[in-house]
C-alpha cells in the first residue's frame, strides 16, 4: 500500500492560472517534501515541511509557491501564477521509519 | 560544485550480466546518507538501496549492492543478473547531516543514468 497518494495525476493549466497540487499521506508522517522534475532532468528539492511549517526551502521555491496542511491531513503545493517553465512532474515525499524517503506517484503539470 | 555527479548519461548491458552505475558525491559533513532510486518510463520514483556514511559494510538489497568507497567519495550501484525490467533511469542521491537510522532531510539528486538492458 502506498504511503502517499497525489492528486491529480495530470493537470493542464493556462499560463497565469493558479494550481493546487495535493498529497495525501496514508499514515502519520512528520516530514513532508515537495520535489519537481522537469522532463528529462534531475529531481530537484523545493521545500520541506515539519510540524505545520516550512523547515527548509530551495531557491526555486519563490513567492509564487506556497505549502500548507489545510485540514491536518492533505498536504498541498500551490503555484499562484503559473509560468511555462513550471511544467514538470511534482513529487510529494515522506520519510519512513527507516532511512527511506518514499515518493508519491507524482503530478504531471503542463502549463500552456 | 555539483554535490552528486553521475558521469554516465546512458549505459547498456546484456540480460543476465552485471552492470555498475557510477556516482560520486561531494560533502564536508561527516554524517550523510547515500541513496539510489529507479525511475521507470512510467515516472514513479522507486527506492532501491541506502548506505550510511558510518556503515562499515556495503549495503545489499537482493540484486542491488552499493560499492561504497568513502575515501574516494563514490557510491556506485551494482546490479547483478540484469533483467529486462531493470531498463530505467537510475538516480543517485545524498542526504547530508544524517548517517542512518531514523533520519530526515532533503535529498540532493544527480543527473541520472539511463540503463538499457538488451535481451
Amino acid at each position: 500500500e502506498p504511503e502517499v497518494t497525489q492528486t491529480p495525476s495530470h493537470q493542464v493549466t493556462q499560463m497565469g492560472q493558479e494550481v493546487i497540487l495535493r498529497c495525501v499521506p496514508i499514515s502519520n508522517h512528520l516530514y513532508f517534501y515537495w520535489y519537481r522534475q522537469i522532463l528529462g532532468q534531475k529531481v530537484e528539492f523545493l521545500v520541506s515541511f515539519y510540524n505545520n511549517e516550512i523547515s527548509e526551502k530551495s531557491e526555486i521555491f519563490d513567492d509564487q509557491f506556497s505549502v500548507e496542511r489545510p485540514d491536518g491531513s492533505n498536504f498541498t503545493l500551490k503555484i499562484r501564477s503559473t509560468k511555462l517553465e513550471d511544467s514538470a512532474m511534482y513529487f510529494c515525499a515522506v520519510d519512513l521509519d527507516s532511512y527511506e524517503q518514499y515518493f508519491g506517484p507524482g503530478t504531471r503539470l503542463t502549463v500552456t | 560544485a555539483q554535490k552528486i555527479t553521475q558521469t554516465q548519461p546512458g549505459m547498456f548491458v546484456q540480460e543476465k550480466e552485471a552492470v555498475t552505475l557510477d556516482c560520486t558525491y561531494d560533502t564536508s559533513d561527516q554524517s550523510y546518507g547515500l541513496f539510489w532510486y529507479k525511475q521507470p518510463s512510467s515516472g514513479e520514483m522507486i527506492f532501491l538501496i541506502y548506505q550510511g556514511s558510518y556503515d562499515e559494510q556495503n549495503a545489499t538489497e537482493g540484486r542491488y549492492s552499493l560499492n561504497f568507497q568513502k575515501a574516494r567519495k563514490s557510491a556506485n550501484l551494482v546490479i547483478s543478473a540484469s533483467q529486462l525490467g531493470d531498463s530505467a533511469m537510475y538516480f543517485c542521491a545524498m542526504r547530508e547531516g544524517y548517517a542512518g537510522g531514523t533520519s530526515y532531510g532533503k535529498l540532493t539528486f544527480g543527473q541520472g543514468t539511463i540503463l538499457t538492458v538488451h535481451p
Side-chain angles (χ1 to χ4, degrees), chain A residues 31 33 35 37 40-45 48 56 89 91 95-105 108, chain B residues 2 35 37 39 42-45 47 50 61 89 91 95 100-107 109-112:
Chain A
Y31 284 88
Y33 306 84
Y35 294 85
Q37 183 183 28
Q41 298 187 20
K42 67 178 179 180
V43 179
E44 299 174 291
F45 168 74
S48 58
E56 187 175 1
M89 180 77 95
F91 291 104
D95 289 322
L96 303 187
D97 287 342
S98 62
Y99 37 76
E100 179 184 347
Q101 193 164 98
Y102 180 94
F103 281 70
R108 180 165 299 282
Chain B
Q2 293 287 333
F35 301 73
Y37 284 81
Q39 187 177 44
S42 51
E44 69 264 37
M45 294 289 287
F47 168 78
Y50 167 85
E61 289 287 346
M89 175 76 89
F91 289 102
R95 170 185 281 153
T102 301
S103 58
Y104 55 91
K106 70 179 183 187
L107 300 185
F109 285 83
Q111 294 284 358

Side-chain angles (χ1 to χ4, degrees), chain A residues 43-58:
Chain A
V43 179
E44 299 174 291
F45 168 74
L46 290 177
V47 64
S48 58
F49 194 80
Y50 171 70
N51 202 25
N52 292 323
E53 61 183 33
I54 291 174
S55 57
E56 187 175 1
K57 60 183 180 179
S58 72

